[in-house]
Amino acid sequence: MDVTMDISGQLSALQVMQDAPVIPVIVLTDVAQAVLLARALVAGGIRMLEVTLRTPQALACIEAIARDVPEAVVGAGTVRSAADAQACALAGARFAVSPGYTHAVGQACRDAGLALLPGVATGGEIMMAQEDGLRELKFFPALQAGGTAMLKAWSGPFGDVRFCPTGGVSMANAAEFLALPNVVCVGGSWLTPADAVARGDWAQVTALAHQASRLVRD
């Protein structure tokens, strides 16, 4: 974790990506667990936290983390519409991550002051995001869409783009992605295993976060 980075003002997507080697992809169904989980991740050196909008409790969890864990930077994942972006900003999210990209989502995030990491899987999607001024992108679903071979192929025509591969990334293959010069960080759910979260094993979460924070980037 780059503890020297100023996180008090509006963030850029590159700042979100540079803070640590891994952005945890978090699914929460219990608001009571949100603050404890966030504190466990921060204790392990991970403070950029992507809480996905995959459960009815997600917005309340974002709000709780934003309110009670000031040393964390909470963001929203699975942002698919302008309404999602607006709701997340109101809940206290500082950045947004989307599974794909549309102009409407991009504009809503700019209007709300949210740094955006939009998902791309093809050259055309990269070009669409670039037309709107975005050069830091989520490669999703990374493993299914070509993995490291695809990222190497993109380094030629899209040499000015930086990626956060997400989808099928784990501790076992994260280093392979992070070794690529066009990869700044990776996203993954392995830092918050569902069974550990369910039983409140925050020590395990902290240990996994610590391990992830020590991954080496190119």
Side-chain angles (χ1 to χ4, degrees), residues 24-30 33-34 37 50-58 61 78 188-189 192-194 197-198:
V25 179
I26 302 166
V27 179
L28 284 166
T29 58
D30 185 349
Q33 294 175 328
L37 177 65
E50 177 192 339
V51 177
T52 61
L53 301 183
R54 299 180 188 177
T55 70
Q57 298 82 12
C61 291
T78 322
S189 59
T192 57
V197 174

Side-chain angles (χ1 to χ4, degrees), residues 61-202:
C61 291
I62 289 170
E63 186 174 8
I65 294 170
R67 181 185 64 240
D68 296 334
V69 194
E71 62 272 32
V73 179
V74 64
T78 322
V79 173
R80 300 186 301 167
S81 67
D84 284 345
Q86 293 159 2
C88 292
L90 288 172
R94 303 275 303 281
F95 66 93
V97 184
S98 60
Y101 181 70
T102 67
H103 297 294
V105 167
Q107 186 61 54
C109 287
R110 282 189 292 274
D111 291 344
L114 293 173
L116 173 63
L117 279 175
V120 298
T122 68
E125 292 169 345
I126 294 172
M127 292 167 65
M128 183 181 296
Q130 282 191 297
E131 285 180 356
D132 286 349
L134 300 171
R135 295 192 301 173
E136 288 79 38
L137 310 175
K138 178 175 86 164
F139 176 35
F140 178 79
L143 215 59
Q144 296 86 343
T148 56
M150 181 65 83
L151 287 162
K152 290 174 183 177
W154 279 343
S155 66
F158 301 114
D160 58 340
V161 178
R162 298 294 175 263
F163 295 96
C164 171
T166 306
V169 181
S170 67
M171 191 64 195
N173 61 12
E176 184 180 354
F177 283 99
L178 290 167
L180 300 177
N182 58 349
V183 171
V184 180
C185 68
V186 299
S189 59
W190 83 89
L191 278 69
T192 57
D195 58 342
V197 174
R199 65 176 181 268
D201 189 348
W202 310 124

